[in-house]
Every structure is written in C-alpha cells, then in structure tokens.
Amino acid sequence: MVPVFLILIPLLSGLAGFFIKNSSNAKLWSLLASVITLLVSLTGLFLSKDNTHLSLNAEWLSSLNSRFSVGLDGMGQVLCFLTALGFPVIFIATWREDYKNAGNFHALMLLSQAGLMGVFVASDALLFYFFWELALIPVYFLCSQWGGEKRIQATFKFFIYTFIGSLLMLVGIIYIYFHTKDHSFSLASFQAVRSVLTSQEQSWLFWLFFVAFAIKMPIFPFHTWQPDLYEQSPAAATMVLSGIMVKMGLFGLIRWLAPVLPLGTWLWGDTASGLCVIGMIYASLLAMQQDDLKRLVAYSSIAHIGLMGVAIFATTQSGMQGVMIQLFNHGINIIGLWVVVYLIERQFHTRKISELGGLAQGAPVLAILLVIVALANIALPLTNAFIGEFLMFNGIYSSVATQYNVVFTVAAAVCIILSAVYMLNLIQKVFYGDSNPLTLKARDIRPNEKFILALIVMLILAAGIYPKPFFDLTKETVTMYREYCFWRSCTHQRSPSLRHGSKPIREWDQPSHQAARYRGEFVLISRRPPQKVIRLFRLKLLQMQQGLLQTRH
C-alpha cells in the first residue's frame, strides 16, 4: 500500500488545495502534505524487504485488460524518495515567495508530485502513460501563469515538444499491446514481447519510445525547450523540472525501453550514446559562455544527464550502479544550485553574472554552502557525485556493448573538465572579486534558507562518504537490467574485433552461470550474416529467458 499512499496523498491534497484562498494557509497545507508524503516514502525504505506493502495489483480498466498495478523496486524507491524529499525542500526554500492565487499554484505543484510518484511506481504501460501526462500537465499551467515575460512562448515550445513525444510513445504502447500474448498492458507482458517482435519492428519502436524519453531528459537535439522554459518558469517549477522531472526520461530508458526492446536498443545504442555525448559537449561549451545564472545551470544539467544516458546504453554493472546513485545525487545537487540562484535573484533582482561580484563579503554562509554544492556538481572526491560519476566512467570504458567506449569515455572526461571551468568561474565572479554598488548591501540568507542548503550539503557529504545504502537498495534492479541486456554486454555484431574473433569476449564483472553458459554460443553467432544473427539471437534470448525463470523458481 505504500506506493498507493505516495500517489493519493499529494493527489487528494492538491485537489483540496484549489479551495484554499488564503496564501499562508495554502503554503502550510502544501508543506504539510509534502512532509507526510516524505514520511510515507521513508516508511517504504524501511520496508524495502517486505514486498507485501510495496505493491498493489487491482482492477482498473478491465475492458482493455489494464490494471492498477503499482510497485516499488530499488530504483523506484530512490526516485520516489527524491521526489518526496524534493518538494518540502522546494516549499521551504521559496517560503517567502508571494504568488497570485497561491492556492492554485501549490495545488498544481502537488498534482505534479502525484504524477511523478505514479510514473515511478507504475507497472502497467497504460497507467504509466496516464501518470506521465498527469506529471506534465500541471507544469504547463505553472509556467504559463506564474512565469516571466516570455512565458507563453517558452511554455508553448515545451508543450509542442512534450505533446509530440507523448503521442509517439502512445503509438508505441498501443502497437506493443496488440502484440502481447494476453493483450495486456502489464510490464511483464511488455517484456515478454521482445521475443515476438522482429528487428525492423523493434528498430522503429525504439525511436518512438526513445524520442519521448529523450525530450524529457533532455538530450541533443531534443533539448531546445529546456533553457527557455527554465529561464521563464517560477523558481519552484524550475526546481521540479530540473531536479526531479528529467528523471522520468532516464527512468523510462531503464524500465520501459531497454528491457522491452533489447534488439532495438542493441541496433541503435551507439547512435543514442552519440547523441548523449554531443549534447554533453555542446551544453558544456554553451554553459561556459552564459551570463545568465539560470541558463548556466540549465546547460549544466543537460551535460550531466547526457553522461547518465551513455552509462545506461553501456549496459555494464558498474555503469548501472553509477546511474542508480546519480539519479538521486543529480537531483539533490541541481536543486541546491537552483535554490542559490533563486536567493540571488530575489535579493538583487538580476541573474546576470556580470552584474554581480563580491557576495561572499555580505553573505558568507551562502558562499560557503554554494561552494560545496558547486564542487559536488563537478564530482569532487568525498561529494556524492564523485562515486556516481566514477562508476559511470568505469562502466562506459569497460563496456563491450560498443566499439566506441574509449571515445565516449574521453568525451565525457572532457565535459567534466569543462564543468569545473564554468562552475569555478561562477563562484569566482559571483561570490568573490570586487563588490559593486549593487552587491555592497548584500545580506546573508535567512534561517529557513540556511536550513535547506545545510540539509542539501549534509546529503551531499553523506552520500559521498557512505554510498552503500544506495547500492544495497538498487542491487536487484541492476541485476535485472543486466539480465535483460545481457546480449549487448556479451557481443556486438558491429565490432570487427568480435566479429573476426581477434580477441575474446569480455565478461561481466560477476557473470551469472547463464551468462557463462551462452557466452561461447554468442561468439559464434556474432560471426554470421546479420539476418542469421537476428534469428539465432532471438532463439538464444528465449532460451536464456526460460533458463533464468527456472533458476528463480
């Protein structure tokens, strides 16, 4: 019942919030609802070994054979905890912000939280799509009603991008639904269809899903909506979009793309990774040129999300472990940066880096906390991002799913260097250097703002020093992902070295007995013509699936 409460509490609180007219009461109501949701999420973490309280499968749309099926695995626990933690942090950080029709604003925020929770717990494709839209629709209204001067243009671009992506994904969901044996939207039925669909079908279905997820992440060239929307959105909505909502795309890749369409992922994995790398370099170079704080943080987020995308398509154990912890770490770090940007803009009414300077003299606490958050953003050792990005680098470099592993690793390393350049430049120009008439009257942050930033800093240091709980929590998710994508980790038909047998296949870090059993057969398959590769691959994939099921039982 835990996932049901994670959805119902913000959903019902959000609906009730529309009837609250007083601004202070609306703030208190939304904060209370988000804190209760956080407590439920923490309860789920303590019950992580008791599956009876972490799943529910009930009748929903019986005529379509779609059920209200929700559950929490390790990755779902991490993302639900991030969502549950992020909203009270955002509400407290923006407590002094006055909104017109504050009740409606906070109600839409809570409805967005309910949609996000639903996305991360859904085990039914139609239910997943329903919550996907529920999470996005409130954001349209938040940005169009409470945004900046160019909010309508930015929101319209965001709407067009996400509408097209959602429509493509819906087409893919319906097509797979009609090819399932039991005509069901369940996750298990969707994963079973991978042995039925041909390579051509999986190829174009891959792009239907990938484009929808790539828009949300976002990665190049589907990213152009992001900087404009972040710049024009109210601070609270920007924090939700950047810190939490982008994880919907990464979650979709791991839960609904690679396990459902493994052959399509195999055929287009290098192309998708290449787009991620291009986006990382492109966003990093643009971030170095920005004079607007919001745009700098926006491009920084694109670069870090791209690295996670490459690690997902690398299909290695260490890479996936890095992604699991980085899903949480990126959210915490980026929300911390947005809080600092919001505090600076609220006090000085400007986001221009060239108009700021010397803030550390008047706001030393803010300067210290920002430095720690910024250093975490560039993955300094002992901060949370270091362990995640180190594992992702290791996974990308050791991947045998691509012949471009070295190229991808070097490109990602260059982006880390560039991130250090623009983040250190931000610290130097905004908080140090000479003061000017605008910043001479700088004052330090208030107690509630100190509390929020101090909490973020503690999470950064705790996860950086002792990340083991994240690994333990997501271990099963990583193992399942590796099983579904085993074929891609063991062979790569496009790689000449594997095709001609000039070097042996490199195994997983800790291969299962099924992996060892079929490893030699995959080597032989990889040397045959493409059509035979596909036919034999599908046969071996089916055999592996049956063997794994027998092993579990």
Side-chain angles (χ1 to χ4, degrees), residues 29-295:
W29 177 255
S30 60
L31 179 60
L32 176 63
S34 63
V35 170
I36 294 174
T37 304
L38 176 59
L39 294 176
V40 173
S41 179
L42 289 171
T43 303
L45 290 174
F46 287 111
L47 296 175
S48 59
K49 295 183 179 180
D50 186 0
N51 292 329
T52 58
H53 298 287
L54 299 180
S55 61
L56 177 71
N57 193 344
E59 289 288 340
W60 186 41
L61 298 174
S62 56
S63 60
L64 295 174
N65 202 11
S66 177
R67 300 179 62 83
F68 189 86
S69 177
V70 292
L72 282 170
D73 63 349
M75 179 172 59
Q77 291 272 33
V78 169
L79 290 173
C80 284
F81 178 59
L82 172 64
T83 306
L85 177 64
F87 274 80
V89 165
I90 292 168
F91 287 142
I92 295 174
T94 59
W95 187 260
R96 294 182 178 273
E97 188 73 19
D98 293 324
Y99 301 103
K100 185 180 180 181
N101 299 324
N104 292 349
F105 180 89
H106 289 89
L108 289 169
M109 288 283 289
L110 290 173
L111 289 180
S112 180
Q113 184 184 28
L116 286 164
M117 291 294 190
V119 167
F120 298 142
V121 302
S123 299
D124 181 278
L126 192 60
L127 187 66
F128 169 78
Y129 184 81
F130 170 78
F131 283 120
W132 180 278
E133 295 301 319
L134 178 60
L136 293 173
I137 291 173
V139 176
Y140 301 145
F141 294 100
L142 287 169
C143 299
S144 62
Q145 294 188 33
W146 289 275
E149 294 180 358
K150 300 179 180 180
R151 62 186 183 277
I152 302 301
Q153 299 95 311
T155 306
F156 182 72
K157 182 189 289 188
F158 177 57
F159 172 79
I160 293 298
Y161 268 89
T162 53
F163 175 77
I164 293 174
S166 298
L167 186 61
L168 293 175
M169 180 168 63
L170 181 60
V171 172
I173 289 174
I174 294 173
Y175 186 88
I176 295 177
Y177 163 75
F178 282 112
H179 284 75
T180 57
K181 293 181 180 179
D182 54 351
H183 285 280
S184 169
F185 287 98
S186 70
L187 179 60
S189 296
F190 267 52
Q191 291 174 347
V193 84
R194 63 182 179 267
S195 60
V196 176
L197 298 174
T198 65
S199 60
Q200 290 81 4
E201 289 174 313
Q202 290 204 32
S203 290
W204 64 264
L205 283 169
F206 170 87
W207 284 104
L208 293 183
F209 282 89
F210 178 73
V211 169
F213 299 144
I215 288 172
K216 277 306 308 131
M217 292 166 63
I219 62 174
F220 180 90
F222 311 104
H223 69 285
T224 56
W225 61 268
Q226 190 207 51
D228 293 333
L229 188 70
Y230 285 10
E231 183 181 8
Q232 296 299 319
S233 299
T238 303
M239 294 177 197
V240 172
L241 280 164
S242 185
I244 305 172
M245 198 163 285
V246 297
K247 307 305 184 302
M248 291 167 58
L250 293 164
F251 176 85
L253 293 179
I254 300 170
R255 177 63 52 84
W256 293 99
L257 180 59
V260 176
L261 303 169
L263 186 53
T265 308
W266 174 64
L267 292 171
W268 293 104
D270 282 350
T271 303
S273 297
L275 292 176
C276 292
V277 169
I278 292 172
M280 291 165 57
I281 297 174
Y282 176 71
S284 298
L285 293 175
L286 286 178
M288 293 175 61
Q289 302 300 318
Q290 296 305 309
D291 191 44
D292 187 291
L293 287 172
K294 273 193 169 183
R295 285 186 169 270

